[in-house]
Amino acid sequence: MNPFAPALDVANAVLYEGYILYPYTASAAKNRIRWQFGVVVPAEYAQRGTGEAAAMQTEVLLACDTGALVDVRVRFLQVEARSIEASAGDGFEAVAELEVDGRRHLSFDEGVEREVSLRMQPATVPRAATPIAFAASQEIEPLHDSGGTVRGRIVRRRWPLHGALCVDCEPVADAPGLRRLRVRIENASSVVPGERSSALRTAFVSTHTLLHADGGHFLSILDPPAEAAAATAALVNRHTWPVLVGDEAAGAQRSPLVLSSPIILYDFPAVARQTEGDTFDATEVDELMMLSVLSLSDEERAEARATDPRAKEIVDRAERFGADDLRRLHGTLLQSKSEPRAPSDPFASIDVPALDCVFVAGQKVSRGATVRLHPKRRADVWDAFLDGKLATVRAIHQDLEDQMYVAVTVDDDPASELHDWYGRSFFFYPDEVEPVQAAAPGARP
């Protein structure tokens, strides 16, 4: 059995976070500036003052017996250049795209999954290391038309990667039974000349570390046991953040499994059970992404399919997205294990008992009243758009520090009725609203 299996769903989400973003087309500007997470660049490139790191370090506390074994697995993407070449006389010439029998092929950079592992017994061998080494390679795939004629070819090229995975595990002073486990990932590859996109040819991308202890357990950094608080505070993590993974019910402060990620997570993260496939943006809602993909034009969908095989999977999945899928996802928190339910007041659970009204310039403002908005604090650009607008008060809220808030929907907003049903409002301090008309007795907006 793979000891890392409980962590792989989340680890794979980290591995491909931002790999290719909606609208999933090569021509989209944001997909021309990729590889932003967990990038470990060659040391030579980092020394140029680029602000990017040539090493990544994880430190966690390990409680274990003398026979404990620790497995370390480092995973990352290697950038692979996919070039399209069209037949030209006796040779080939590079092109941005080529269509063969109605199928488009685009030049684009792909990601190849890489793994480096080692096992150590901390009590007897407290230090271990293994090289990170992947040779240069080139693969050529001919493109034939239906008659068997070679119309072009796909050339996939990878540059050599060199580095090291180093692990140290040493006892912690004044903390009997605890060891500090340090994992350091270093990139010593050569730099491909050019801009950052060229230097990334030999970078480790979306780099993260998985740890498993057989005969021991790791302690939470977010919520360490009291006796380990001082030792936890002394840990040094660079460009990554370790969290516990596995069965939280077995212990909320310890686990034999850790994921150290360049994307900050909480202990015991999990991919929502409603998720059916990658969208490469963990902050998005599945329903929103599927509806957004369905809004693409036929040309955009065709380009997305030609951009990357994973983008094609998203488009195909979106086109299968039907009414039952919409009902299953709509209004459901992806983290929830319960069935979808009707929206409710999102502040009901944190509201403290208070009056159902607030007085502004001596006038009572309550649910159903009409007010004119005058934002003063300039929180964002919406304040400029909303200044002077008439709005209907939907609720009065008071927070745990006794600050009052007026929740409103804007009267000339076509979506106001939808916002009211969904429980969405704009929030203003009482001094940012001007009473215009009080609510009629018993009135409901």
Side-chain angles (χ1 to χ4, degrees):
M1 179 179 176
N2 183 356
F4 297 113
L8 289 182
D9 283 347
V10 176
N12 287 336
V14 169
L15 184 65
Y16 284 101
E17 171 74 9
Y19 171 73
I20 182 171
L21 299 172
Y22 173 84
Y24 307 115
T25 54
S27 62
K30 58 187 173 184
N31 287 321
R32 297 174 185 170
I33 307 174
R34 303 162 69 203
W35 324 114
Q36 302 297 317
F37 298 101
V39 177
V40 180
V41 299
E44 178 188 340
Y45 186 73
Q47 290 167 3
R48 299 176 184 176
T50 62
E52 296 189 87
M56 175 182 284
Q57 177 173 295
T58 295
E59 285 194 347
V60 290
L61 295 180
L62 170 66
C64 66
D65 55 37
T66 56
L69 294 173
V70 174
D71 286 293
V72 181
R73 180 176 297 179
V74 170
R75 308 169 80 232
F76 59 87
L77 294 177
Q78 178 181 7
V79 178
E80 172 183 82
R82 184 186 74 204
S83 302
I84 306 301
E85 298 181 355
S87 297
D90 295 332
F92 297 88
E93 62 180 10
V95 295
E97 69 174 274
L98 178 67
E99 184 172 317
V100 179
D101 286 348
R103 181 178 177 184
R104 295 173 67 182
H105 302 272
L106 301 178
S107 294
F108 199 62
D109 282 350
E110 300 172 322
V112 180
E113 296 182 18
R114 296 302 195 190
E115 290 187 357
V116 179
S117 302
L118 66 77
R119 168 176 284 194
M120 66 183 301
Q121 189 171 10
T124 57
V125 183
R127 176 169 294 180
T130 190
I132 298 174
F134 295 94
S137 66
Q138 181 171 288
E139 300 173 1
I140 297 177
E141 177 187 348
L143 297 175
H144 299 90
D145 62 19
S146 56
T149 301
V150 175
R151 297 286 307 280
R153 64 183 186 180
I154 302 173
V155 180
R156 291 181 171 89
R157 183 182 179 188
R158 303 170 196 162
W159 284 259
L161 298 182
H162 299 285
L165 165 60
C166 305
V167 183
D168 293 280
C169 196
E170 56 193 17
V172 178
D174 303 322
L178 289 184
R179 294 175 178 272
R180 178 189 294 108
L181 180 73
R182 180 186 302 112
V183 178
R184 186 170 175 84
I185 303 162
E186 300 174 346
N187 190 343
S189 306
S190 299
V191 179
V192 177
E195 301 297 326
R196 180 178 185 269
S197 58
S198 296
L200 289 176
R201 304 288 190 205
T202 51
F204 310 155
V205 177
S206 293
T207 313
H208 58 278
T209 302
L210 289 166
L211 304 172
H212 181 265
D214 183 2
H217 54 260
F218 300 99
L219 302 186
S220 171
I221 286 185
L222 290 167
D223 182 25
E227 65 273 15
T232 299
L235 297 175
V236 178
N237 286 280
R238 294 190 175 97
H239 314 296
T240 188
W241 183 253
V243 296
L244 304 181
V245 183
D247 183 8
E248 185 174 7
Q253 296 175 301
R254 61 196 68 223
S255 174
L257 189 57
V258 159
L259 166 63
S260 187
S261 160
I263 299 169
I264 295 177
L265 303 168
Y266 290 103
D267 282 335
F268 303 102
V271 174
R273 65 183 181 86
Q274 296 93 340
T275 299
E276 293 186 346
D278 293 323
T279 55
F280 307 120
D281 194 330
T283 64
E284 295 293 350
V285 178
D286 288 26
E287 175 192 8
L288 173 62
M289 293 308 303
M290 293 300 98
L291 294 176
S292 297
V293 174
L294 288 174
S295 72
L296 296 175
S297 66
D298 291 343
E299 171 60 26
E300 288 172 320
R301 291 190 211 179
E303 183 184 352
R305 284 189 167 99
T307 294
D308 188 272
R310 294 179 178 87
K312 179 181 183 300
E313 290 177 8
I314 294 175
V315 175
D316 291 344
R317 188 166 69 250
E319 291 184 347
R320 297 191 300 268
F321 189 75
D324 289 342
D325 299 295
L326 185 60
R327 280 192 293 269
R328 177 175 56 83
L329 293 178
H330 185 66
T332 303
L333 289 175
L334 289 180
Q335 294 83 358
S336 173
K337 296 182 180 179
S338 61
E339 293 302 315
R341 60 174 182 261
S344 59
D345 184 353
F347 291 91
S349 63
I350 62 172
D351 242 14
V352 297
L355 297 175
D356 61 355
C357 66
V358 66
F359 286 86
V360 178
Q363 297 187 52
K364 179 180 178 180
V365 175
S366 59
R367 181 176 169 85
T370 300
V371 296
R372 191 177 301 278
L373 304 178
H374 297 295
K376 297 179 179 180
R377 289 160 178 82
R378 300 301 177 194
D380 54 42
V381 71
W382 276 106
D383 285 349
F385 297 147
L386 297 178
D387 189 26
K389 294 282 189 180
L390 291 176
T392 298
V393 177
R394 301 296 180 180
I396 304 296
H397 290 287
Q398 181 182 13
D399 66 20
L400 297 174
E401 297 178 350
D402 296 328
Q403 174 63 56
M404 304 298 289
Y405 301 91
V406 181
V408 305
T409 54
V410 180
D411 289 354
D412 63 358
D413 182 352
S416 285
E417 183 177 343
L418 177 62
H419 292 330
D420 184 40
W421 173 83
Y422 196 77
R424 183 181 186 277
S425 303
F426 290 103
F427 287 75
F428 295 93
Y429 291 99
D431 63 354
E432 295 181 303
V433 302
E434 173 192 354
V436 175
Q437 178 182 338
R444 178 178 175 83

